[in-house]
Amino acid sequence: MKAKLLQSIAAAALAFGAGAALADEDAELVINGEIEIVTKTDAPAHMDGMSTIMSGWRFRDSTTQMMEMDDFDNPAMLAVEDAREKWSTPVGSEDKSCADCHGEPEDMAGVKPVYPKWNEDAGEVRTMQMQMNDCRENRMGAEPWKYDAADALAMEALLSSVSRGMPVDVAIDGPGQSTWEQGKELYYARTGQLDLSCASCHEENYGNMIRADHLSQGQINGFPTYRLKNTKLNGVHSRFKGCVRDTRAETYSPGSPEFVALEMYVASRGNGLSVEGPAVRN
């Protein structure tokens, strides 16, 4: 077991040392020929040691990039269409739909860019999925959706799609600052048998190859994301869970306070990039 672990660490170290060019450093993302997406911009002031931030789209090969450039080719848009139908369908003991309170999905443009955010009434930082479930339970009298499961991800993808092109703008001050600080601590904490942190890959080694993966900066402006690897929409907490698991550490569950804090911090690292989800990744 120890020998295999050392071999894995050695392989990772060799891969980290092998630099790789971006798929196309000059590529620009325009969706449907009209939605301009900022995939590279100056890093927000609160980020130390990085001057430029880049969407994961820039680290994918040209074939994968092209799938996101047209909604007809983006497999995630099937889930978005399903969510549109659910949006206007009354459910629960109150026989209410999302549309009854919020109008058309397009009326929700501008919501996704600011999440996670502090909720004054609840006295906590909430992710978009948490807020959606609050509506389902307390306004619609419906069962909450399982975190990062198909229904929740489809609805989050719909709400993301109507904000595409808008800049991510997650607040890091005010009453939510302590949650943000917790997320930052988790981001830089080394864990597991491989003794890796989020920063080990996505800050110190982005652009390099680890096995067959072209390491990105780990930006989450494209979530929910359709992954070709498992042919379905993926939530950011599930991605966090997979990353922590890959360090061979005990991991948290989607929807846990730890992952809420981590999402808030990581989302703020993308302030200035465009909302891009639902994106397509490997």
Side-chain angles (χ1 to χ4, degrees):
M1 175 66 181
K2 184 177 180 181
K4 289 184 179 180
L5 173 60
L6 292 175
Q7 289 173 2
S8 296
I9 295 173
L14 287 172
F16 278 145
L22 301 182
D24 182 351
E25 294 189 26
D26 298 320
E28 298 295 341
L29 175 55
V30 180
I31 298 175
N32 300 333
E34 59 183 10
I35 306 173
E36 296 183 0
I37 303 294
V38 174
T39 59
K40 182 177 182 180
T41 191
D42 293 338
H46 61 77
M47 284 183 65
D48 299 324
M50 292 182 68
S51 60
T52 304
I53 54 175
M54 292 178 281
S55 162
W57 183 81
R58 285 184 172 254
F59 295 81
R60 305 282 61 91
D61 61 54
S62 59
T63 302
T64 305
Q65 287 181 338
M66 289 178 66
M67 291 181 70
E68 194 179 322
M69 297 177 76
D70 191 321
D71 283 351
F72 187 79
D73 295 326
N74 185 341
M77 298 311 293
L78 294 173
V80 168
E81 290 303 314
D82 287 343
R84 278 190 176 275
E85 184 174 344
K86 288 184 173 66
W87 181 267
S88 57
T89 301
V91 296
S93 61
E94 300 302 309
D95 197 34
K96 283 188 175 181
S97 70
C98 303
D100 288 333
C101 291
H102 300 295
E104 295 299 317
E106 285 72 18
D107 294 328
M108 300 294 283
V111 173
K112 175 66 173 177
V114 299
Y115 271 87
K117 63 179 289 189
W118 176 260
N119 184 294
E120 188 65 35
D121 292 337
E124 64 181 0
V125 169
R126 284 185 170 174
T127 65
M128 180 166 279
Q129 287 190 42
M130 291 168 68
Q131 191 59 44
M132 283 161 32
N133 272 337
D134 180 76
C135 283
R136 287 182 61 79
E137 291 185 276
N138 297 316
R139 297 192 180 189
M140 304 165 81
E143 290 294 317
W145 284 325
K146 182 180 178 182
Y147 210 97
D148 268 6
D151 286 335
L153 289 174
M155 190 59 71
E156 186 177 5
L158 170 61
L159 296 177
S160 180
S161 72
V162 299
S163 288
R164 287 181 295 182
M166 295 182 175
V168 176
D169 187 23
V170 173
I172 67 172
D173 54 3
Q177 185 173 358
S178 61
T179 301
W180 182 84
E181 294 285 357
Q182 180 190 3
K184 181 177 181 180
E185 183 177 349
L186 287 166
Y187 187 87
Y188 286 102
R190 290 180 175 271
T191 61
Q193 292 177 313
L194 296 184
D195 193 35
L196 296 173
S197 68
C198 305
S200 298
C201 289
H202 299 300
E203 186 169 302
E204 299 168 15
N205 284 287
Y206 70 85
N208 290 332
M209 299 294 291
I210 179 168
R211 294 179 179 167
D213 190 21
H214 190 189
L215 291 174
S216 73
Q217 290 184 346
Q219 298 290 353
I220 61 173
N221 59 304
F223 277 83
T225 290
Y226 185 92
R227 296 193 72 195
L228 302 176
K229 178 179 180 180
N230 58 11
T231 63
K232 67 177 183 178
L233 268 180
N234 291 254
V236 68
H237 287 202
S238 297
R239 186 75 277 251
F240 289 162
K241 182 178 179 179
C243 283
V244 175
R245 183 193 59 231
D246 288 346
T247 71
R248 300 181 185 175
E250 293 279 340
T251 189
Y252 305 106
S253 299
S256 65
E258 291 83 2
F259 278 169
V260 170
L262 185 59
E263 180 182 351
M264 186 183 193
Y265 175 69
V266 177
S268 78
R269 290 172 66 90
N271 280 356
L273 294 174
S274 294
V275 172
E276 188 183 323
V280 181
R281 300 289 187 262
N282 294 355

